[in-house]
Amino acid sequence: MQTGNSIIMHAPKNEIFEAAANLERWPEFLPHYRYIRYLERSPTRNVVVMAAVRSGIPISWTSEQIIDREKLEVRFHHLKAFTKGMHVVWTFGETTAGVRVQIVHNLRFRVPALAPVADLVIGRFFIHHIAGQTLRCMKAHLEAPARV
């Protein structure tokens, strides 16, 4: 399964990158995130339990986060839950229209015979929807005229 979401944001690229990298603040401006709990923390690598909600359905997963300031990427590797083994990459590219922020999710399902159903339920219903909402809310936060 591979799914991708992208959006154009009108804010400095480094500011967008730092907002994406700073998971601790996500629940402040991403209303669908219930909490982020750090299990391990460092400037470039974290292990976190992330919890969100999709249409009233609570979900959570454990993920390793890598903050790569040289490549300007935020990467995740899911360690537990239905998405165990999934790799996620956030990229930030300058365009004439603004900064294109893209999130790509890649997951090879553990039971290949269930992949079509899992792709529909996990990939489209949960992942694609939540990633799109994350980008829209982050854009609104970063482009707000009176941000704190």
Side-chain angles (χ1 to χ4, degrees):
M1 176 211 77
Q2 181 172 352
T3 183
N5 299 70
S6 66
I7 199 166
I8 298 293
M9 295 189 192
H10 299 98
K13 183 165 66 170
N14 198 56
E15 191 175 327
I16 299 168
F17 172 81
E18 291 300 333
N22 188 354
L23 299 179
E24 189 168 45
R25 294 206 53 218
W26 278 21
E28 294 173 24
F29 58 87
L30 301 177
H32 54 293
Y33 270 84
R34 298 180 296 135
Y35 60 83
I36 307 275
R37 294 195 180 120
Y38 284 80
L39 303 177
E40 297 177 30
R41 185 185 288 223
S42 80
T44 59
R45 180 187 174 276
N46 300 299
V47 176
V48 293
V49 177
M50 304 176 82
V53 64
R54 192 323 185 180
S55 301
I57 303 168
I59 58 170
S60 65
W61 61 96
T62 301
S63 188
E64 174 189 46
Q65 178 199 36
I66 302 296
I67 302 165
D68 189 334
R69 287 186 167 78
E70 283 185 31
K71 288 186 178 178
L72 223 58
E73 289 183 352
V74 179
R75 296 186 298 275
F76 294 90
H77 179 228
H78 289 217
L79 305 173
K80 294 182 182 178
F82 290 110
T83 56
K84 181 179 179 178
M86 182 162 63
H87 293 275
V88 182
V89 180
W90 285 61
T91 57
F92 311 84
E94 298 279 359
T95 73
T96 56
V99 178
R100 181 175 185 254
V101 182
Q102 182 174 29
I103 307 172
V104 174
H105 294 81
N106 284 296
L107 176 62
R108 181 177 298 261
F109 293 110
R110 291 171 284 196
V111 182
L114 297 177
V117 172
D119 182 50
L120 184 65
V121 175
I122 295 172
R124 295 181 196 273
F125 183 78
F126 284 106
I127 295 170
H128 188 73
H129 177 84
I130 290 171
Q133 190 174 3
T134 297
L135 288 173
R136 288 187 303 277
C137 291
M138 188 171 287
K139 174 182 173 74
H141 169 71
L142 291 168
E143 293 178 1
R147 274 187 326 119
V148 175

